[in-house]
Amino acid sequence: MFDNPVFIKEIKSKYRARQSNLTLFAIGSLILLLIIWFYFEALRYLLFASPVITGKEGWAWSVVIQTMILWLVGPALASNAISQEREQQTWEMLTFTLLSPREIVLGKLAARSLPLLFVLLAFFPFMAVCLSLGDIPFHWLPVTYLVFGNCSLFILTLSLFMSWAAGKTATAIALSYLAVAYLVIGTLLIESVLPAMARGSESPNLWLNPIRITMALLEAPGNSYNTSVLLFSQTAFLVLTMLMLFTMLRRWDRWKRD
Amino acid sequence: MPPMIRIQNLRKEYRDLVAVKNLNLELEPGDIFGFIGPNGAGKTTTIKMLATLLTPTYGTAYIDGVDVVRYPEAVRSIVGYMPDFFGVYDDIKVWEYLDFFAAAYRIPRAKRAQIIDDVLTLTDLNVKKEAYVESLSRGMKQRLCLAKTLVHDPKVLLLDEPASGLDPRARIEIKELLKELRSMGKTIIVSSHILPELADFCNKIGIIEKGELIISGDVNEIIRQVSGHHTLEIRILDENTPEPSQLSIETLASQTPQEGGVAVKTSAEMERAIALLRSQPGVDEVKRSDGKLLAHYVGEPNQEWRILKALIENDIRVLSFGTQATDLEDIFMRVTKGIVS
């Protein structure tokens, strides 16, 4: 990936700060201080209250916060990845190079996933502390991060797909957030009119809901039903991700016929 | 020698619109082909098909023997393409921009630095190497785009309106750069609707209108073919003109009779010259313009000397006698008005 020119170019153009060293130092220090403060307060609470209860609480809070960040920030990160190239008229020159569609898509996807990766990494030590204090099985840490990773990949690919399919960035952003809104609200609405609801059980439609997935993550250890919810949702997201990637790469040249 | 570019029955249709109609063309290595046509004539569509960015509805083209439809990747490695409208990545540095494209053309990392320096020197952008792209002027960005087109040392350059939207200085700079590329032996297709831009350095031209290549070939051949006739430009010494010993460009210019609304004083000698010219075989029209006589000659080629001889034998004091140059603009106007088609 570090040899992928698109990945390198994206990092340089998206994440390189152009401010003076002094300003950068000030901003960096501020972010660091915020993280330290968060950790200080959180650990003080965890260590001096009842550790088992607060460990679980801390774990739950961090899962909820990370889930919210993934689903709310994710679409904004990648939904301009391709449409912006078209808007700023660099697309033609990019596709004229010897770069394969795979390199372009994966380069952009990897570069756009970095902020989410940063968020997950920033929470990791806190999650680890919560895990050690709370009554949570150890294997649940990698499982939770696998779910986060899979959801992130799905959201970013979805946004990238919208950016590829839509002509304009504004449309791509709107479509990406509409898709997220469907998963959060639409699945609930559909569930309310499905016969399964009347029977008092859930349909697989609801298992794609990010809120339901988060609940499953928090309740799952030892609960086979919630494990099924997670398995189903993550498999569905993975299949959808692959389908979108496959469609993009397969129909990459569709604009040639325009 | 096989042609560097061979286009065979190239056609592009968009539903009911035929953008390019069965275009045929052959260019030899080192040819500089000026693709002329009004906006919407099909120049860009043709160039995009050659650049593998559009799939032809019918027909194909070969660049250095490689089929653009079947082997687009192979074509891209030997072609440099500069679109008519393009953007640049504003938020990276000039050298990073070129490094990105060099990497995208699979140039090994070890060779990139030297190549970047070379193309920056060629495009005269060395001093901007460390500058951010957004800080460049429009003309510099145009040159930067040309520089990125050259990073993989392509044999063929497809330049779509390379000087459009530039100020006169930047236009001249681009023109000089293209001359430099010509001297490097590149085969270039350059489109423009600004004809003087192409006149200087193209050895071949093609005029396209409504998707149809009306005429193409060697510039001089086309001028001969299209002109068929030409205008003789004759300056004579009339009675208002000072004696030859007193002549200078300034005095000649000051003696030029005014035209365009102001009465023109015509000397007897001038009248005689006009009458004599009108009586000459091959001359179908004579008029005055800026103190000169313009005789439209439709006679036998290379027989214009007889007219000069007749003038001198009739004691007309001829100061200069020559053929008025026919330029691309003239050709374009004649061809696209349907004179040839």
Side-chain angles (χ1 to χ4, degrees):
Chain A
M1 186 51 67
F2 291 104
D3 275 346
N4 184 327
V6 177
F7 178 72
I8 296 165
K9 189 265 293 174
E10 288 279 317
I11 287 179
K12 281 179 179 169
S13 61
K14 298 290 168 204
Y15 306 123
R16 180 168 52 190
R18 304 263 295 273
Q19 291 85 355
S20 66
N21 287 341
L22 190 68
T23 317
L24 285 177
F25 179 75
I27 294 171
S29 306
L30 199 67
I31 293 172
L32 197 67
L33 277 175
L34 270 172
I35 293 173
I36 290 170
W37 175 79
F38 168 78
Y39 266 89
F40 177 75
E41 287 297 320
L43 290 175
R44 201 175 58 158
Y45 177 71
L46 286 174
L47 296 172
F48 295 107
S50 169
V52 175
I53 297 167
T54 50
K56 268 195 162 179
E57 275 180 6
W59 173 270
W61 273 109
S62 61
V63 167
V64 169
I65 291 170
Q66 285 176 94
T67 304
M68 280 171 66
I69 292 173
L70 295 188
W71 288 91
L72 291 176
V73 177
L77 290 174
S79 49
N80 67 347
I82 291 175
S83 52
Q84 194 182 39
E85 296 264 7
R86 290 205 195 102
E87 285 167 347
Q88 68 185 15
Q89 296 178 317
T90 49
W91 181 243
E92 232 175 40
M93 293 193 294
L94 179 66
T95 52
F96 185 75
T97 62
L98 300 181
L99 290 169
S100 66
R102 201 175 121 263
E103 282 173 296
I104 297 173
V105 167
L106 294 185
K108 283 186 176 286
L109 206 56
R112 306 289 171 132
S113 67
L114 289 181
L116 291 186
L117 194 67
F118 175 78
V119 170
L120 297 183
L121 281 177
F123 270 93
F124 182 80
F126 183 71
M127 297 273 284
V129 172
C130 293
L131 185 82
S132 65
L133 293 176
D135 186 17
I136 305 158
F138 178 75
H139 75 274
W140 213 239
L141 184 70
V143 168
T144 304
Y145 270 95
L146 266 179
V147 171
F148 283 158
N150 194 41
C151 287
S152 305
L153 184 66
F154 169 71
I155 299 160
L156 291 166
T157 309
L158 175 80
S159 316
L160 195 79
F161 182 82
M162 295 302 183
S163 187
W164 169 78
K168 291 179 178 171
T169 299
T171 315
I173 292 174
L175 287 173
S176 304
Y177 276 106
L178 261 177
V180 171
Y182 165 75
L183 290 173
V184 177
I185 304 164
T187 47
L188 281 175
L189 291 174
I190 290 174
E191 191 68 11
S192 66
V193 295
L194 284 178
M197 190 73 168
R199 292 198 307 269
S201 59
E202 293 172 347
S203 78
N205 159 68
L206 189 66
W207 294 356
L208 297 176
N209 187 303
I211 300 169
R212 180 69 190 88
I213 294 167
T214 311
M215 283 166 61
L217 260 183
L218 297 175
E219 296 166 3
N223 181 328
S224 62
Y225 184 76
N226 280 326
T227 308
S228 304
V229 171
L230 287 178
L231 269 177
F232 174 82
S233 62
Q234 297 316 300
T235 309
F237 285 161
L238 195 62
V239 168
L240 284 172
T241 301
M242 292 303 150
L243 266 177
M244 285 186 286
L245 287 174
F246 180 74
T247 309
M248 269 193 282
L249 300 180
R250 182 85 194 275
R251 301 197 58 215
W252 189 250
D253 287 346
R254 74 191 167 93
W255 43 270
K256 265 193 178 185
R257 291 184 290 273
D258 291 349
Chain B
M1 191 183 287
M4 181 56 84
I5 297 176
R6 195 167 84 230
I7 301 175
Q8 289 179 328
N9 295 318
L10 203 64
R11 187 178 179 89
K12 183 68 185 174
E13 293 174 7
Y14 298 97
R15 292 195 179 92
D16 296 338
L17 175 80
V18 182
V20 175
K21 287 179 195 166
N22 304 45
L23 197 138
N24 289 286
L25 183 71
E26 279 196 5
L27 296 178
E28 304 299 324
D31 275 347
I32 313 291
F33 180 76
F35 208 19
I36 307 167
N39 291 331
K43 302 187 297 286
T44 298
T45 307
T46 306
I47 287 178
K48 280 190 177 176
M49 284 192 282
L50 290 177
T52 73
L53 292 168
L54 276 179
T55 310
T57 311
Y58 183 78
T60 191
Y62 298 87
I63 294 182
D64 201 17
V66 184
D67 189 331
V68 298
V69 179
R70 293 177 66 190
Y71 306 106
E73 277 222 3
V75 169
R76 286 174 199 178
S77 63
I78 52 170
V79 169
Y81 167 63
M82 182 173 169
D84 50 350
F85 296 107
F86 64 88
V88 282
Y89 301 116
D90 279 330
D91 29 26
I92 53 178
K93 292 177 180 177
V94 165
W95 75 266
E96 290 170 342
Y97 181 82
L98 294 173
D99 188 62
F100 166 67
F101 279 100
Y105 280 109
R106 317 278 188 227
I107 294 169
R109 192 185 294 272
K111 289 184 181 172
R112 280 187 227 152
Q114 185 58 49
I115 289 171
I116 289 168
D117 283 343
D118 289 347
V119 292
L120 284 174
T121 305
L122 185 68
T123 51
D124 202 17
L125 284 171
N126 295 65
V127 287
K128 294 288 179 183
K129 186 177 176 180
E130 290 292 335
Y132 277 93
V133 173
E134 69 177 2
S135 69
L136 302 184
S137 67
R138 174 81 200 263
M140 284 176 180
K141 283 180 182 171
Q142 206 97 352
R143 277 188 279 148
L144 178 63
C145 186
L146 200 50
K148 80 88 202 144
T149 307
L150 297 169
V151 285
H152 60 301
D153 193 22
K155 290 180 182 174
V156 173
L157 291 172
L158 303 172
L159 311 176
D160 198 358
E161 307 266 4
S164 68
L166 295 182
D167 62 43
R169 173 173 285 276
R171 214 172 259 278
I172 290 166
E173 284 167 356
I174 286 281
K175 212 154 102 173
E176 291 306 315
L177 189 49
L178 293 181
K179 283 180 187 172
E180 184 74 27
L181 293 172
R182 180 183 62 181
S183 69
M184 290 163 71
K186 308 272 183 204
T187 305
I188 305 175
I189 291 187
V190 52
S191 82
S192 181
H193 57 267
I194 301 167
L195 303 177
E197 236 173 53
L198 301 177
D200 275 6
F201 56 88
C202 293
N203 66 325
K204 289 183 179 172
I205 58 162
I207 297 177
I208 188 169
E209 192 178 37
K210 288 182 182 169
E212 222 166 332
L213 193 64
I214 299 170
I215 194 165
S216 72
D218 183 86
V219 174
N220 297 325
E221 185 59 38
I222 286 180
I223 289 174
R224 224 178 357 258
Q225 193 183 329
V226 173
S227 301
H229 40 70
H230 50 261
T231 302
L232 299 174
E233 196 176 281
I234 305 152
R235 188 183 288 277
I236 66 163
L237 187 70
D238 68 14
E239 59 195 20
N240 297 323
T241 310
E243 285 302 309
S245 58
Q246 297 170 294
L247 274 179
S248 68
I249 291 170
E250 290 75 17
T251 52
L252 257 180
S254 67
Q255 292 293 324
T256 303
Q258 294 293 304
E259 289 176 358
V262 181
V264 177
K265 269 204 276 181
T266 309
S267 70
E269 187 164 347
M270 190 67 89
E271 289 291 359
R272 267 195 318 118
I274 291 170
L276 184 65
L277 283 169
R278 281 188 176 140
S279 68
Q280 293 300 304
V283 175
D284 72 344
E285 189 191 351
V286 180
K287 59 183 178 182
R288 289 191 65 175
S289 170
D290 292 336
K292 294 172 290 192
L293 292 174
L294 300 177
H296 196 220
Y297 183 75
V298 292
E300 288 288 306
N302 304 324
Q303 295 299 311
E304 297 88 339
W305 61 272
R306 293 181 190 280
I307 297 168
L308 175 62
K309 187 176 172 224
L311 287 168
I312 292 167
E313 282 174 355
N314 283 279
D315 293 330
I316 307 287
R317 289 172 292 174
V318 179
L319 291 176
S320 66
F321 183 95
T323 308
Q324 197 178 44
T326 308
D327 59 13
L328 280 181
E329 236 159 69
D330 188 26
I331 300 277
F332 179 73
M333 291 308 287
R334 287 187 200 189
V335 171
T336 53
K337 274 180 179 170
I339 290 172
V340 168
S341 60

